[in-house]
Amino acid sequence: MKFTRCFTLLASAAALTLAVSAQAREYSVSTVLSDAFPWGQAAQKWADLVAERSEGRITLRVYPNAQLVAGDQTKEFSAMRSGLIDMAVGSTINWSPQVPELNLFSLPFLMKDDKDLDALTQGEAGKLSFSAIESRGIVPLAWGENGFRELSNSVKPLRTPADLAGLKIRVVGSPLFQDTFTALGANPTQMSWSDAKPALTTGAVDGQENPISVFDVARVDQVGQKYLTLWHYMADPLIFAVNQRVWKTLPEEDRELLRQAALDAGKWETELSRGQQAKRLADIRERGVETVELSAEERQAFVEATRSVHEQWAPKIGADLIKAAEAAIAQ
């Protein structure tokens, strides 16, 4: 009799576990940009893959335009860590105020091209960056791409650090960006993207820096940005991530489903973003924007002008991480 009762209790517990596992769940996913941009498309692809592979049992509801943090993109990481946001496809720039190690990707002229970027994200530097995120209560799952950031302005073509002297350049809320543009002789002005376009329209700021996809989709050329310098001065990889407390409530099979869907969405979005670059650039030129491509010598002048920024920020980022990044790029 005791054995039968025990078996019945175990069976009931197992059934309850299966029932909980099978329950439909909905989670919020924050992004800064909508699905008009590759960034927003990355989040939506993740949501679509999860819905398909869970057969509708798990819903990721995407909230674009940083609406869960009232448009303040630099607060996204904190909001997710506190539990106000379940998941996010966020950027290293926006999360760097809370995770200083992520400033690695914002060091000016550390990376030259996609190969350098991949060497960082897919190697030891990427693992160390993920560890830094996880130590602060967020579980990172996969990398995506926001692209290398280029510089535009309404005044003149920019080829040398001297050309930036006195120009007001809109930057995101990161001290590293302030230091970089100050070192180049510009006047960096911090503001959200929602405030940036009106400021560019009125001439309150002269220029801005963003990936080609943002320049193209947001039609930055329509707010007086007639000159675009393709200087690839830093890249902004995206990170698919989950609040740690939410992660711990998930059964292992759901964790694996979310992780694999994030990996697949990140790979899909990276290929999409890179594949669109040439067409986007051609369209921008057709709209009358004058583009400047730096020679190796011209790029080196910017490297020298921002060397002090590397020296200043290396201790904040961490010696081991800097060493891993430099080794990966050298190889």
Side-chain angles (χ1 to χ4, degrees):
M1 181 67 72
K2 289 183 178 179
F3 176 80
T4 302
R5 184 178 301 156
C6 181
F7 180 81
T8 301
L9 290 172
L10 288 173
S12 298
L16 180 60
T17 300
L18 288 172
V20 170
S21 178
Q23 284 178 357
R25 297 187 178 94
E26 180 173 310
Y27 301 99
S28 60
V29 180
S30 174
T31 68
V32 168
L33 295 179
S34 72
D35 61 6
F37 303 83
W39 187 342
Q41 291 165 13
Q44 191 56 55
K45 183 68 172 181
W46 189 23
D48 291 344
L49 289 175
V50 168
E52 176 187 340
R53 295 174 185 180
S54 70
E55 298 181 338
R57 184 171 50 82
I58 302 174
T59 299
L60 304 188
R61 187 170 299 282
V62 179
Y63 293 86
N65 303 316
Q67 59 183 283
L68 297 179
V69 285
D72 189 344
Q73 57 213 57
T74 60
K75 291 183 178 179
E76 183 180 68
F77 188 88
S78 296
M80 183 163 52
R81 183 168 55 185
S82 69
L84 295 176
I85 295 171
D86 299 321
M87 306 179 190
V89 179
S91 93
T92 55
I93 294 173
N94 292 334
W95 292 3
S96 63
Q98 290 80 38
V99 189
E101 291 88 346
L102 295 181
N103 283 296
L104 172 73
F105 299 95
S106 297
L107 282 175
F109 305 101
L110 174 66
M111 300 165 283
K112 289 183 179 180
D113 51 30
D114 292 335
K115 289 183 179 179
D116 285 352
L117 175 57
D118 290 343
L120 264 60
T121 58
Q122 305 307 312
E124 183 63 22
K127 293 177 183 176
L128 291 172
S129 298
F130 270 18
S131 294
I133 294 170
E134 191 153 13
S135 71
R136 292 169 173 87
I138 300 297
V139 180
L141 304 180
W143 294 97
E145 179 145 316
N146 195 29
F148 279 85
R149 298 175 78 90
E150 317 295 4
L151 178 64
S152 73
N153 82 102
S154 60
V155 180
K156 58 185 176 181
L158 304 176
R159 283 192 174 275
T160 70
D163 291 335
L164 272 81
L167 290 185
K168 294 180 181 178
I169 305 295
R170 176 265 173 181
V171 297
V172 297
S174 164
L176 176 49
F177 280 67
Q178 296 275 347
D179 291 344
T180 295
F181 281 91
T182 298
L184 292 171
N187 178 10
T189 304
Q190 176 186 329
M191 61 179 65
S192 68
W193 183 241
S194 60
D195 293 331
K197 289 192 74 174
L200 291 167
T201 301
T202 62
V205 293
D206 302 307
Q208 61 86 49
E209 47 77 52
N210 254 310
I212 289 293
S213 61
V214 174
F215 190 99
D216 182 31
V217 177
R219 294 302 304 270
V220 182
D221 52 289
Q222 293 183 339
V223 290
Q225 298 295 285
K226 299 182 294 183
Y227 306 99
L228 179 63
T229 297
L230 306 174
W231 63 344
H232 262 45
Y233 87 114
M234 55 83 60
D236 180 26
L238 303 176
I239 301 167
F240 294 73
V242 182
N243 168 280
Q244 202 169 77
R245 290 190 294 276
V246 169
W247 188 252
K248 289 178 178 178
T249 67
L250 298 171
E252 186 58 38
E253 61 268 27
D254 286 353
R255 293 181 188 179
E256 182 55 32
L257 188 154
L258 281 167
R259 187 188 303 278
Q260 191 57 55
L263 288 166
D264 292 343
K267 183 176 184 294
W268 173 86
E269 185 268 342
T270 297
E271 292 174 354
L272 174 72
S273 179
R274 293 179 183 180
Q276 293 174 337
Q277 287 293 90
K279 177 65 164 57
R280 290 191 186 282
L281 192 53
D283 289 346
I284 289 168
R285 285 170 173 154
E286 286 183 8
R287 297 200 295 263
V289 176
E290 181 178 339
T291 60
V292 172
E293 296 190 52
L294 301 181
S295 67
E297 293 76 16
E298 288 170 334
R299 182 183 187 277
Q300 187 59 33
F302 283 98
V303 172
E304 297 297 333
T306 55
R307 196 172 299 280
S308 62
V309 179
H310 283 247
E311 296 170 355
Q312 178 183 349
W313 279 84
K316 303 175 185 179
I317 295 169
D320 290 343
L321 187 49
I322 294 285
K323 183 178 179 180
E326 292 175 343
I329 290 172
Q331 292 173 4

